[in-house]
Amino acid sequence: MAAKIAFILGAGPNIGQHVAKKFAANGYKVAVCSRSGVTTSDDYLGIKADFTDPLTVTSAFKQVRESWGDPSVVVYNAAALHFAPANDAFSIPATAFQEDINVNVSSLYTAIQETVKGWKNLKSSSKTFIVTGNVLNVAGAMPAMITLGVGKAAAAHLIDGAVKSYGSQGYKFYYADERNPSGAPVGSSPDAKAHSEVYFQLAEDPEQRPWDYTFVKFKGFTKF
Ligand SMILES: NC(=O)c1ccc[n+]([C@@H]2O[C@H](COP(=O)([O-])OP(=O)(O)OC[C@H]3O[C@@H](n4cnc5c(N)ncnc54)[C@H](OP(=O)(O)O)[C@@H]3O)[C@@H](O)[C@H]2O)c1
């Protein structure tokens, strides 16, 4: 049987590389993608792309497909944020807003589209798409982070839509959001190991769990 393939878009030193390591240790071929294209293992396929242009997502998938085949597990981990003054959220240039929305939403849309296209050709394997989220889809607006908030709210909406559209085919989609045990956001220090454990569990489970997957380190899924 051909090796399963995991593709991580937005793979940097924290969550991305830990997720890559976890899947590689469990027999997956791993492709990682970022603007630098840097990999931490010669075994990984490293791809350069800048998600401010959603077309680069299409060509990144093409590279994985032509090198190895279609990935059964896809993780979208990139995010973009131009901070705004909290008392003047609409002062950032429209071009900056557009850039962030391309990374947070449009390229995610393209990644889901390419993933589903590939899954139609995959016979077996548990097919799982995970976007790394945060609390902003449910927390209400934080004006300084308006582009990230719009992005995460839209990302959750896309995942909900994907589950409703393709869930009956056994395709699984998640908006994963690590929280502190109190339910508060983990801030700027997400736990990469906890993400890698949770993402691997979600990929291995043949059943769709709650798509808005809030989890706590050492505890797992927790409904807040
Ligand atoms: N649950 C929470 O409360 C919480 C807290 C913090 C963060 N997060 C989420 O965690 C994710 C990031 O985690 P992390 O920083 O630990 O991950 P990471 O894997 O260490 O880094 C993400 C990588 O994405 C790449 N990237 C950024 N912009 C890109 C672009 N335009 N095109 C292509 N690649 C791009 C960057 O690499 P290059 O520079 O090489 O492109 C970056 O290193 C985000 O989705 C963020 O919103 C959640």
Side-chain angles (χ1 to χ4, degrees):
M1 201 177 85
K4 293 186 277 190
I5 299 161
F7 185 23
I8 301 149
L9 298 103
N14 197 36
I15 294 174
Q17 294 301 344
H18 278 78
V19 172
K21 201 170 158 195
K22 178 74 183 176
F23 279 88
N26 284 279
Y28 281 74
K29 286 171 130 174
V30 174
V32 293
C33 181
S34 65
R35 287 166 298 191
S36 68
V38 164
T39 71
T40 51
S41 164
D42 291 342
D43 293 337
Y44 302 164
L45 181 63
I47 297 171
K48 274 191 190 184
D50 184 343
F51 306 148
T52 54
D53 175 3
L55 289 178
T56 63
V57 174
T58 306
S59 66
F61 270 84
K62 190 160 177 270
Q63 286 179 61
V64 178
R65 212 169 271 139
E66 288 179 354
S67 302
W68 289 340
D70 288 297
S72 57
V73 174
V74 176
V75 173
Y76 194 91
N77 188 59
L81 169 62
H82 284 84
F83 275 104
N87 62 356
D88 198 3
F90 288 77
S91 61
I92 55 171
T95 47
F97 180 83
Q98 184 65 62
E99 249 180 47
D100 289 358
I101 296 309
N102 279 349
V103 177
N104 297 333
V105 186
S106 305
S107 284
L108 168 62
Y109 175 89
T110 309
I112 296 174
Q113 185 177 58
E114 289 294 327
T115 298
V116 169
K117 193 163 93 185
W119 283 351
K120 292 193 173 126
N121 307 320
L122 274 185
K123 293 273 175 289
S124 54
S125 308
S126 172
K127 302 173 177 80
T128 312
F129 187 103
I130 304 169
V131 59
T132 306
N134 64 18
V135 78
L136 284 170
N137 65 314
V138 290
M142 295 184 191
M145 298 194 282
I146 199 108
T147 65
L148 189 63
V150 169
K152 294 302 185 191
H157 193 93
L158 291 176
I159 293 297
D160 185 20
V163 172
K164 285 173 177 153
S165 191
Y166 304 108
S168 61
Q169 296 179 52
Y171 299 175
K172 298 173 293 159
F173 300 88
Y174 293 100
Y175 177 92
D177 169 15
E178 186 195 359
R179 301 278 187 88
N180 285 326
S182 65
V186 292
S188 56
S189 321
D191 190 285
K193 191 159 184 300
H195 278 79
S196 71
E197 298 293 338
V198 166
Y199 287 13
F200 185 67
Q201 285 169 17
L202 293 176
E204 289 294 288
D205 190 341
E207 300 299 326
Q208 172 80 48
R209 300 183 188 179
W211 65 262
D212 45 345
Y213 204 79
T214 39
F215 68 95
V216 172
K217 183 167 65 161
F218 304 133
K219 188 172 171 207
F221 176 73
T222 309
K223 184 90 189 141
F224 293 104

